[in-house]
Amino acid sequence: MRKIYVAGHRGMVGGAICRQLAARKSAGEALEVITRTHAELDLTNQAAVRDFMAREKPDVVILAAAKVGGIHANNTYPAEFIYENLMIECNVIHQAFAAGVTKLLQLGSSCIYPKAVAQPIAENALLTGTLEPTNEPYAVAKIAGIKLCESYNRQHGVDFRSVMPTNLYGPGDNFHPENSHVLPALIRRFHEAKRDGAEVVTIWGSGAPRREFLHVDDMAAASLFVLDLNKEAYEADTQPMLSHINVGTGTDVSILEVAQMIAKVVGFAGRIDTDPSKPDGTMRKLMDVSRLSDMGWDAQVALEHGLEETYAWYLTNYESARG
């Protein structure tokens, strides 16, 4: 029986991974899923993580825990974003190795790539230019996580892998009015505008930046797909210094276009204005997902369907989802 520790099981991605692992277990797969809440295990505490790994001795670790947020949160709390994410990665990856774990999957973010980079963004674009200033501390931490995995693989011969998703959304997302990502922020704003009878919703920035959005269930499926690849198949497609794999849909939409889609899903019939005084962030960030596609995995959830599902979840979980 495989013992799998999922770090960050209460987060959107970690929760989706746990649901899919539970479905596998129900179907007869021999596995045990280990989880701990933040109150039970502080991943920034090196001694606590060391003791946990030594005691539980998981066979596989999935590192989905991270401090995450949108442009506002990254701009407001840069020290927390770099410190907490570095500590989580260093503690979990090193202490997993020390406890004898030979297989680990780390989840990162597409913000690791330079601001000015050819589109769509291929994995070899990493460290070829300057990062987007609004989320540089978080990106630096995630790049460090990739390099940790690569370094342990090179020196110790373990099988530590990294997947870099594009912008994620779906059930379990954070809908906080200031610290959420763009999709949940827009869903909340349009919902409250409809509820309050507002005639106008103003979105941050020019509306021109283009973004790629991946449903969290697709991300969970892709993560387990990459984790399940045998080492020979995985290494045959990854260069020694290119151990991370992009995960996305390969298509993007403008922020204004996705706002219009959300307005339709929510039922908001008013006007949509833009506010160019607010930051746009990177103008385009489309992932090259050809490597993962060639390996046999493609996204399945269409954006409009995913938005409908996410809005339904938000309505059902409104009190807790507000963050």
Side-chain angles (χ1 to χ4, degrees):
M1 176 178 288
R2 285 199 308 169
K3 204 173 183 181
I4 303 175
Y5 167 50
V6 180
H9 74 287
R10 284 187 166 181
M12 179 172 62
V13 184
I17 289 173
C18 284
R19 289 193 297 273
Q20 295 194 15
L21 288 173
R24 289 185 175 195
K25 186 174 181 179
S26 296
E29 188 170 332
L31 59 87
E32 176 188 356
V33 178
I34 309 166
T35 61
R36 291 292 187 275
T37 65
H38 177 73
E40 294 169 328
L41 177 62
D42 179 1
L43 296 178
T44 67
N45 184 319
Q46 185 181 54
V49 177
R50 179 196 63 212
D51 293 345
F52 166 78
M53 291 289 185
R55 182 174 61 253
E56 293 295 338
K57 295 190 179 300
D59 301 301
V60 178
V61 170
I62 299 176
L63 178 49
K67 182 175 180 63
V68 298
I71 292 176
H72 176 81
N74 275 272
N75 270 334
T76 307
Y77 310 109
E80 293 175 27
F81 273 85
I82 192 167
Y83 171 77
E84 291 187 25
N85 284 299
L86 282 172
M87 292 303 293
I88 289 169
E89 292 163 356
C90 288
N91 290 340
V92 173
I93 293 170
H94 177 72
Q95 298 304 337
F97 164 74
V101 175
T102 58
K103 195 161 191 178
L104 178 146
L105 183 71
Q106 182 216 191
L107 279 64
S109 167
S110 60
C111 73
I112 62 169
Y113 294 114
K115 179 177 181 179
V117 64
Q119 305 286 325
I121 307 170
E123 287 88 348
N124 60 11
L126 184 66
L127 297 177
T128 60
T130 304
L131 298 166
E132 163 59 43
T134 56
N135 59 16
E136 182 184 72
Y138 178 74
V140 167
K142 286 301 171 183
I143 293 169
I146 293 173
K147 294 304 176 182
L148 273 168
C149 290
E150 289 179 355
S151 298
Y152 278 76
N153 289 344
R154 289 172 58 204
Q155 184 171 339
H156 300 294
V158 291
D159 187 4
F160 291 180
R161 307 174 181 184
S162 298
V163 284
M164 298 296 120
T166 188
N167 302 284
L168 299 173
Y169 74 100
D173 211 338
N174 170 27
F175 291 80
H176 189 280
E178 294 180 347
N179 297 337
S180 59
H181 289 109
V182 61
L183 273 191
L186 288 174
I187 288 173
R188 174 175 178 153
R189 198 173 306 165
F190 280 103
H191 168 77
E192 293 180 350
K194 177 189 175 184
R195 179 198 64 193
D196 299 339
E199 297 181 357
V200 180
V201 168
T202 301
I203 62 175
W204 271 36
S206 66
R210 301 186 67 83
R211 291 292 182 269
E212 178 183 13
F213 296 103
L214 180 71
H215 193 279
V216 67
D217 288 345
D218 273 338
M219 179 57 197
S223 298
L224 295 179
F225 174 86
V226 171
L227 185 67
D228 288 342
L229 289 169
N230 64 53
K231 193 173 183 181
E232 291 73 23
Y234 179 79
E235 290 181 343
D237 189 73
T238 54
Q239 301 169 25
M241 294 299 291
L242 193 60
S243 67
H244 63 286
I245 297 179
N246 289 345
V247 185
T249 64
T251 60
D252 60 4
V253 294
S254 73
I255 297 299
L256 181 57
E257 287 171 334
V258 80
Q260 292 166 342
M261 293 175 70
I262 291 171
K264 179 181 176 183
V265 167
V266 170
F268 174 76
R271 191 175 78 248
I272 301 175
D273 286 349
T274 59
D275 181 3
S277 70
K278 296 292 193 297
D280 271 333
T282 304
M283 289 306 294
R284 194 181 189 201
K285 195 164 61 174
L286 177 65
M287 303 279 268
D288 181 346
V289 294
S290 58
R291 289 178 66 212
L292 185 56
S293 181
D294 290 344
M295 296 167 84
W297 188 90
D298 293 289
Q300 300 297 311
V301 182
L303 180 56
E304 188 162 2
H305 173 74
L307 291 174
E308 291 170 352
E309 182 185 37
T310 304
Y311 182 53
W313 182 90
Y314 174 68
L315 292 177
T316 302
N317 298 274
Y318 181 70
E319 289 302 322
S320 60
R322 289 184 298 173

